[in-house]
Each structure stands twice: as structure tokens, then as C-alpha cells.
Amino acid sequence: MIQRIQTLYILISAILIGLLFGLPFAEIAANGKLYLFNIQGILHNGEIVESGLPILAFTGLICVLHLVAMFLYKKRVVQMRVLVFSILLLLGLFGMFYFFTYYSFKGHEISYKVAVVFPLVAIILDYLAIRNIGKDEALVRSIDRIR
């Protein structure tokens, strides 16, 4: 049901999370070396310094949850619960970004890229979707009361 605005919110959120698989999160300058932080982890000259497996798993799970939530349009309460769970995972993902950059490199120059903001935008879009799903549920319940 792509014509519902909440489905569009969920779709845009899923696209933003999907873009995290290809975009870098940050560049870190430490000890005269330049490190790249992306979905694979922290890399230096193509070699993995810190594995990004937890970030990869979180991102994949969040993406799958968004796709599942899109197709749960007939079960609005379950759809809202899935989106609330994905918001919690998105907050955890954002915390992992912070942890990976500052845990590995304390006091060094960190240049964040635009992809770091995508989880926050996805949280806002998920919240808007939950609000609209709640409005739909209230409308359906009020119509059921009239019958």
C-alpha cells in the first residue's frame, strides 16, 4: 500500500539505511595515517583495523525490519511495534558509530560524513510513520464503534 504516507516514510527510511552499506561514515586522521570508517569497519589502505561486523549486523537487521514493517499494513499494531523496535536499534547503531570512532581513536581528528546522520533521519521518519499508523488505527476503531 504505497499510497499511505506512513508507507512512504518507512520506504524512505529503508532507503536511507540501505545507503549505509555503500557510503563511508567517517575519515580518521591519527598518527599521520588516514583511516576510513565504513560498514566493513575501520580500514587503512584497504586492510581492516577494526571489524565492523556488529554495525553490519545491526544495519542489515534494521533494513529487514523496515521491509517487514512495510508489508504489515493490515496489522497496524504489529507494524507500530516493529517500528518502535527499529527505532531502538537505530539508536544503538548511532551509539555504535560514536563508540567505534572514539574508542579506537581518542583525541584524533575525526571527519564525519553525511551518512552518519541517516540513522537520525530514519528515526524521525519512523516516528512520523508511527504517528500516522496510530491515526489510522484510531480512525478504524471509531468507524467500528459506529456500526
Side-chain angles (χ1 to χ4, degrees):
M1 301 251 334
I2 201 71
Q3 67 264 22
R4 295 170 56 213
I5 189 71
Q6 56 263 33
T7 307
L8 288 176
Y9 289 148
I10 297 169
L11 178 66
I12 293 170
S13 182
I15 290 170
L16 287 175
I17 297 304
L19 286 174
L20 292 177
F21 286 104
L23 296 174
F25 305 139
E27 288 181 351
I28 304 165
N31 303 327
K33 298 177 183 177
L34 187 64
Y35 296 92
L36 180 68
F37 177 39
N38 62 12
I39 197 82
Q40 297 172 348
I42 298 176
L43 303 139
H44 177 65
N45 293 334
E47 294 181 23
I48 297 175
V49 177
E50 290 282 332
S51 175
L53 188 61
I55 291 178
L56 180 67
F58 258 58
T59 307
L61 180 62
I62 293 167
C63 208
V64 167
L65 282 176
H66 278 89
L67 293 176
V68 166
M70 249 192 306
F71 294 107
L72 286 174
Y73 59 87
K74 290 185 180 180
K75 300 176 182 176
R76 288 173 295 279
V77 176
V78 176
Q79 190 179 31
M80 284 192 292
R81 288 182 180 160
V82 167
L83 287 175
V84 167
F85 184 62
S86 72
I87 286 175
L88 293 174
L89 289 178
L90 282 166
L91 287 171
L93 180 67
F94 193 73
M96 288 176 113
F97 287 162
Y98 181 80
F99 176 76
F100 264 80
T101 53
Y102 286 104
Y103 169 74
S104 299
F105 302 96
K106 294 180 182 176
H108 298 295
E109 277 191 44
I110 300 170
S111 172
Y112 288 106
K113 302 295 181 188
V114 72
V116 173
V117 180
F118 288 174
L120 294 177
V121 175
I123 289 171
I124 293 168
L125 289 171
D126 287 349
Y127 171 73
L128 291 173
I130 290 170
R131 259 186 37 189
N132 285 323
I133 294 166
K135 287 179 185 177
D136 279 358
E137 183 66 22
L139 179 66
V140 167
R141 287 181 190 225
S142 71
I143 290 173
D144 283 345
R145 228 178 299 143
I146 294 172
R147 288 188 208 174

